[in-house]
Amino acid sequence: MADTYHIPAMLAETIAGLNIKPDGVYVDVTFGGGGHSRAIMEHLKADGRLFSFDQDADALQNAIDDEKWEFVHSNFRYLRNWMDYYGVTEIDGLLADLGVSFHHFDCPERGFSFRFPAPLDMRMNQTAKRTAADVVNSYSEEELARIFWLYGEMKNGRGVAKAICKARTQKTIERTEELVAASRIPAEMSKELARLFQALRIEVNDELGALREMLVAARDLLKPGGRIAILTYHSLEDRLVKNFLRSGNLEGEIEKDFYGNILTPFKLIEKGREASEEEVERNPRARSAKLRVAEKK
Ligand SMILES: C[S@@+](CC[C@H](N)C(=O)[O-])C[C@H]1O[C@@H](n2cnc3c(N)ncnc32)[C@H](O)[C@@H]1O
């Protein structure tokens, strides 16, 4: 199942970046098809532990049969609470491979893809209340324009928001194909449609809010010498991770001591490494991946 569920990006580079200790406690906050988790497990001996989070119950199809492994069906924004629940006060490493998996695009009924007619859903957690249809039909034109610009980097986000708001006065937009028609983006502009769907997905799942909360919890849980490895796929989340790992805070503010030395909890190990050409050929999604790794001082 894991083979078709997802192909992990930059697998060898990510595992090398984690510098895994065989008896360490590790967290993979984005289990998905389990490719990265399985590779971590291969490095763990009997005393090691791995907690794998996923907010999508479908990921459990890829469960790992091993006593050292624990699946946490939750949003990773609750990392701290779950570690408290398991009595874990410190971790040796954490991996986040952000966004959605191939599985999400391969399930037309989940509404992540503009290519398939389906209900306009896009929830990674199927029990969450807000769907993409809720966002599209209830946000003001300004709010839609803002998320299209911010999360989709759509040059014509304002025009698309206007077209959607006009269309929804005639009929509620409930399906992917209705959104495509309402947006007035021509079918051949598939990149623009992908941006529109990406922007909505990020908003529906509050991806940046969850990332912010998880980063702070990870910083506080990591042991000195512990590693955090993050794979990002678009510029906004990458900027957030880059600034956080440089400064140790969400504001990205670099603090200095009396002598002007930079005070940050992290030493940078990988600063936005990209996939090799050979990997991109095999797995085109890896094209936009950026790997950032830092070590807690
Ligand atoms: C890119 S995939 C990870 C693929 C995985 N590394 C592998 O090797 O198969 C991202 C996964 O993280 C999950 N996810 C994304 N955001 C999440 C969040 N805030 N909390 C928990 N899971 C999340 C998604 O449901 C998806 O299954």
Side-chain angles (χ1 to χ4, degrees):
M1 170 56 71
D3 283 356
T4 53
Y5 199 98
H6 191 76
I7 302 174
M10 299 179 78
L11 184 61
E13 296 89 333
T14 311
I15 299 303
L18 282 172
N19 195 21
I20 298 169
K21 296 194 185 99
D23 59 350
V25 178
Y26 287 85
V27 183
D28 173 358
V29 293
T30 49
F31 179 64
H36 283 105
S37 277
R38 281 173 196 277
I40 294 173
M41 290 295 289
E42 280 171 21
H43 287 75
L44 295 180
K45 296 244 162 71
D47 293 345
R49 277 181 101 182
L50 172 64
F51 295 89
S52 298
F53 283 64
D54 207 297
Q55 61 179 331
D56 187 342
D58 285 1
L60 247 189
Q61 298 167 17
N62 310 308
I64 301 174
D65 183 15
D66 193 306
E67 281 180 358
K68 300 189 284 300
W69 185 74
E70 193 76 50
F71 181 71
V72 186
H73 178 208
S74 168
N75 192 304
F76 59 55
R77 72 190 327 153
Y78 305 116
L79 170 66
R80 180 90 231 189
N81 311 49
W82 281 103
M83 291 299 99
D84 285 349
Y85 173 79
Y86 285 107
V88 174
T89 53
E90 288 184 317
I91 60 174
D92 293 278
L94 178 139
L95 159 71
D97 177 14
L98 299 170
V100 278
S101 64
F102 294 5
H103 173 75
H104 289 118
F105 293 114
D106 289 345
C107 293
E109 71 281 6
R110 304 279 302 262
F112 285 97
S113 172
F114 65 87
R115 295 179 196 279
F116 306 114
L120 196 52
D121 188 326
M122 298 198 204
R123 290 167 302 163
M124 285 192 226
N125 167 4
Q126 298 97 322
T127 62
K129 284 212 181 88
R130 188 175 61 174
T131 66
D134 295 330
V135 170
V136 163
N137 292 296
S138 68
Y139 278 30
S140 68
E141 189 179 318
E142 287 70 34
E143 284 171 319
L144 287 176
R146 188 183 66 85
I147 63 169
F148 296 161
W149 168 252
L150 268 181
Y151 303 158
E153 297 175 84
M154 295 172 70
K155 291 201 181 65
N156 187 28
R158 200 161 275 287
V160 171
K162 192 170 183 187
I164 289 172
C165 290
K166 190 167 172 218
R168 76 187 186 191
T169 60
Q170 306 296 314
K171 184 193 171 298
T172 311
I173 299 166
E174 284 160 352
R175 299 185 54 84
T176 52
E177 69 273 24
E178 291 171 355
L179 175 63
V180 171
S183 73
R184 303 233 156 239
I185 300 172
E188 61 274 16
M189 287 179 68
S190 57
K191 282 203 176 130
E192 203 58 8
L193 284 168
R195 287 168 188 268
L196 169 65
F197 274 61
Q198 171 182 292
L200 282 170
R201 187 203 90 205
I202 292 172
E203 177 67 14
V204 168
N205 295 288
D206 186 21
E207 292 182 31
L208 292 158
L211 176 58
R212 283 192 194 93
E213 288 181 36
M214 185 274 287
L215 286 173
V216 170
R219 176 197 63 198
D220 297 344
L221 281 164
L222 274 174
K223 276 184 192 165
R227 295 269 180 105
I228 177 167
I230 310 216
L231 283 159
T232 65
Y233 293 89
H234 60 86
S235 61
L236 203 63
E237 71 187 5
D238 188 57
R239 209 172 318 137
L240 173 59
V241 172
K242 177 179 164 184
N243 289 335
F244 185 83
L245 296 183
R246 271 178 53 222
S247 65
N249 59 65
L250 291 173
E251 295 71 36
E253 280 167 16
I254 308 275
E255 291 175 24
K256 293 187 177 168
D257 70 9
F258 182 75
Y259 302 101
N261 300 316
I262 290 175
L263 296 172
T264 154
F266 296 118
K267 178 175 131 198
L268 301 181
I269 308 288
E270 290 285 4
K271 303 176 186 173
R273 182 166 177 166
E274 294 178 6
S276 66
E277 271 178 34
E278 186 257 311
E279 174 170 359
V280 172
E281 221 164 273
R282 252 188 304 119
N283 175 14
R285 188 185 183 257
R287 185 185 301 282
S288 49
K290 279 209 172 115
L291 173 65
R292 296 191 181 274
V293 179
E295 184 174 295
K296 182 94 171 271
K297 286 185 185 164

